[in-house]
C-alpha cells in the first residue's frame, strides 16, 4: 500500500508541473545515469540541473568535501537545536515529523545547524540532497528517484536561502510537495529550508490594511481581492510544520563564540582572554555590522592564522 502511494504521488506531481506530455517526461527520467545504489555509498548529494531539459542528476558529495560542523560547535541556539534534533529523530525512526523552515538573521547558524544534522545522523541512514532554489521545478524528478531508494534510507531535501520574487512561479512546485497534492509525499522524504525572511515571497507596503483604509491611497494595480493575494504570499511558509527563528547574538554571546573557535584553533588561553584580542574581535564585528556566529568564526580564522604564522616564523629564526 505504501509503494502505491509513493508512485501515485510521483506520477501526479510530475504530470502537474511538467510542460511536456507524460510519455516524454518518463523517457527523460529513464535517461538518468545515476546508480541508485549510490544512496547507500554516500551520505550527501547535490541535484544538478541539466540546462534546457527537464532532467538532471545527483552529484555525490564525498566525505572529504562535506561540511564537518557538529552540533556541539553551535552555541546559543539550544532551543533551535533541541527542536530540529527531536523532529529529525522522529523522522529517522519512522514516526510522524514535519518539514522545517529556519528563518532569521544572516550568519546565525541556520545552514550550519542543518549541516550538523548529517554529521550527527548519517550512521542512522540519514541522507541529504541539496537543491538550488532555481531548480525547484525539478522536484518531481528528484522525488521520483528518491522514492526508489531502499526503504531504510531517509532523505532530507535541503534548500538554502529560499525566497521568491513576486512573479516567480517555481514556489508552486515546492508548495504542492509540502502540502496540497492529492497524493501524500513519500514517507522517507522531508524538506528543510533556510531563509532570511519568514515570509518567502515579498511583502509590500500596499498589503497593509492601514494603507488601504487611507482615503488618499490609490493605485492603478490595486487588486480587488487583495486579501487573497496576501494569503497566497504567506501560504508557502505556512506549509512548513516547524518554524525556527534565529537572531543576532549579543556582545557576550558573540565573544563566547569567538573564544570557542580560538580555542578550537589551539590559541593559548592567555591570548584569548587578552584585552587586545577582545577589542580586535569587537572592532571586527563593528566593521561588518554583525555579531553573528559566522562573523565570530571569520574573526577567529583571521586572528588564529596570523598569530600561528607569526609564531612559526619566529621559531624559524
Amino acid at each position: 500500500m505504501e509503494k502505491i502511494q509513493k508512485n501515485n504521488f510521483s506520477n501526479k506531481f510530475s504530470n502537474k508541473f511538467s510542460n511536456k506530455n507524460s510519455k516524454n517526461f518518463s523517457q527523460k527520467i529513464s535517461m538518468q545515469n545515476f546508480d541508485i545504489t549510490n544512496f547507500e555509498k554516500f551520505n550527501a548529494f547535490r541535484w544538478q540541473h541539466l540546462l534546457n531539459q527537464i532532467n538532471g542528476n545527483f552529484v555525490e558529495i564525498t566525505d572529504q568535501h562535506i561540511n564537518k560542523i557538529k552540533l556541539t560547535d553551535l552555541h546559543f541556539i539550544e532551543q533551535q537545536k533541541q527542536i530540529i534534533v527531536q523532529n529529525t529523530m522522529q523522522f529517522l525512526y519512522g514516526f510522524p515529523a514535519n518539514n522545517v523552515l529556519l528563518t532569521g538573521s544572516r550568519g546565525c547558524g541556520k545552514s550550519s545547524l542543518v549541516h550538523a544534522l548529517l554529521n550527527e545522523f548519517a550512521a542512522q541512514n540519514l541522507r541529504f540532497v541539496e537543491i538550488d532554489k532555481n531548480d525547484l521545478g525539478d522536484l518531481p524528478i528528484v522525488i521520483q528517484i528518491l522514492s526508489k531508494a531502499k526503504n531504510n534510507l531517509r532523505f532530507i531535501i535541503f534548500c538554502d536561502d529560499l525566497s521568491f520574487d513576486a512573479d516567480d512561479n517555481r514556489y508552486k512546485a515546492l508548495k504542492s510537495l509540502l502540502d496540497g497534492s492529492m497524493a501524500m509525499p513519500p514517507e522517507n522524504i522531508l524538506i528543510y529550508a533556510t531563509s532570511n525572511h519568514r515570509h518567502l515571497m515579498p511583502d509590500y507596503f500596499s498589503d497593509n490594511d492601514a494603507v488601504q483604509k487611507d482615503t488618499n491611497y490609490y493605485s492603478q494595480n490595486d487588486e480587488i481581492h487583495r486579501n487573497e493575494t496576501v494569503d497566497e504570499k504567506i501560504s508557502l511558509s505556512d506549509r512548513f510544520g516547524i518554524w525556527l527563528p534565529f537572531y543576532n547574538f549579543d556582545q557576550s554571546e558573540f565573544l563566547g563564540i569567538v573564544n570557542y573557535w580560538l580555542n578550537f584553533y589551539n590559541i593559548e588561553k592567555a591570548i584569548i582572554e587578552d584585552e587586545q584580542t577582545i577589542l580586535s574581535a569587537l572592532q571586527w564585528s563593528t566593521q561588518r555590522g554583525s555579531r553573528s556566529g559566522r562573523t565570530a568564526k571569520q574573526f577567529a580564522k583571521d586572528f588564529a592564522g596570523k598569530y600561528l604564522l607569526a609564531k612559526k616564523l619566529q621559531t624559524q629564526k
Side-chain angles (χ1 to χ4, degrees):
M1 185 66 178
E2 180 182 355
K3 189 174 293 185
I4 293 175
Q5 288 179 339
K6 289 181 180 180
N7 290 338
N8 283 343
F9 175 84
S10 299
N11 292 337
K12 291 177 181 179
F13 193 57
S14 298
N15 291 339
K16 184 174 182 179
F17 291 99
S18 170
N19 53 14
K20 303 284 185 180
N21 60 51
S22 59
K23 180 179 179 181
N24 288 339
F25 187 86
S26 298
Q27 288 175 344
K28 291 283 187 182
I29 293 176
S30 66
M31 292 168 60
Q32 298 284 335
N33 294 320
F34 181 73
D35 183 356
I36 203 75
T37 63
N38 280 354
F39 288 133
E40 302 167 46
K41 303 173 185 175
F42 299 91
N43 296 329
F45 303 83
R46 182 178 294 109
W47 175 255
Q48 186 177 64
H49 176 77
L50 300 182
L51 295 177
N52 303 319
Q53 298 185 50
I54 50 169
N55 201 352
N57 213 342
F58 292 94
V59 177
E60 301 88 353
I61 303 176
T62 60
D63 287 345
Q64 65 190 47
H65 293 115
I66 289 178
N67 189 332
K68 298 300 190 295
I69 194 79
K70 297 181 293 186
L71 290 171
T72 53
D73 293 329
L74 303 173
H75 302 274
F76 307 111
I77 53 170
E78 295 306 317
Q79 185 177 12
Q80 293 92 329
K81 282 200 288 187
Q82 180 182 355
I83 292 173
I84 201 169
V85 166
Q86 175 71 32
N87 188 71
T88 304
M89 289 182 66
Q90 291 168 204
F91 175 55
L92 291 173
Y93 280 93
F95 298 122
N98 277 300
N99 301 298
V100 181
L101 177 63
L102 304 88
T103 66
S105 301
R106 68 189 192 277
C108 286
K110 301 185 297 293
S111 300
S112 294
L113 179 52
V114 177
H115 292 150
L117 293 173
L118 178 61
N119 295 315
E120 184 77 13
F121 296 114
Q124 299 182 37
N125 294 320
L126 180 63
R127 299 292 183 268
F128 263 48
V129 176
E130 289 186 347
I131 185 169
D132 190 272
K133 66 180 181 180
N134 296 318
D135 298 333
L136 287 175
D138 292 342
L139 275 175
I141 305 173
V142 174
I143 296 299
Q144 183 164 341
I145 297 173
L146 295 184
S147 66
K148 297 177 182 178
K150 281 192 173 182
N151 291 334
N152 64 323
L153 296 179
R154 297 269 161 173
F155 294 91
I156 288 178
I157 298 177
F158 176 51
C159 187
D160 197 21
D161 195 21
L162 186 63
S163 63
F164 300 96
D165 297 328
D167 58 351
D168 191 340
N169 289 323
R170 289 170 300 181
Y171 78 95
K172 293 182 178 179
L174 177 59
K175 182 178 175 182
S176 201
L177 171 62
L178 290 169
D179 184 15
S181 175
M182 182 179 296
M184 294 295 292
E187 294 181 356
N188 67 330
I189 297 173
L190 281 182
I191 303 285
Y192 284 9
T194 69
S195 177
N196 291 335
H197 311 282
R198 217 248 313 151
H199 294 314
L200 302 175
M201 298 184 67
D203 294 319
Y204 298 104
F205 188 60
S206 60
D207 290 338
N208 194 311
D209 283 333
V211 176
Q212 292 293 331
K213 291 176 182 177
D214 186 344
T215 55
N216 294 322
Y217 175 82
Y218 297 97
S219 172
Q220 290 181 335
N221 297 321
D222 194 30
E223 296 187 45
I224 296 176
H225 302 292
R226 183 182 57 84
N227 288 337
E228 294 180 5
T229 301
V230 176
D231 286 343
E232 174 73 7
K233 290 179 178 180
I234 66 175
S235 65
L236 178 56
S237 55
D238 277 347
R239 297 189 184 205
F240 287 89
I242 294 177
W243 296 340
L244 292 180
F246 288 72
Y247 307 97
N248 264 319
F249 301 114
D250 62 29
Q251 179 171 299
S252 176
E253 292 169 336
F254 174 78
L255 291 175
I257 298 172
V258 168
N259 288 358
Y260 174 83
W261 286 112
L262 288 176
N263 184 68
F264 178 86
Y265 292 124
N266 298 315
I267 304 301
E268 296 92 337
K269 183 178 180 181
I271 299 298
I272 293 176
E273 296 177 351
D274 186 81
E275 288 187 7
Q276 186 57 48
T277 305
I278 296 172
L279 179 60
S280 297
L282 295 177
Q283 289 175 339
W284 182 281
S285 68
T286 300
Q287 291 169 357
R288 283 153 182 76
S290 171
R291 286 198 296 254
S292 68
R294 178 186 297 150
T295 303
K297 187 174 182 180
Q298 288 170 343
F299 167 78
K301 282 184 175 181
D302 182 77
F303 183 93
K306 290 176 179 176
Y307 175 79
L308 294 173
L309 176 60
K311 189 175 180 180
K312 183 175 183 63
L313 294 177
Q314 183 67 30
T315 61
Q316 292 178 349
K317 289 183 178 180

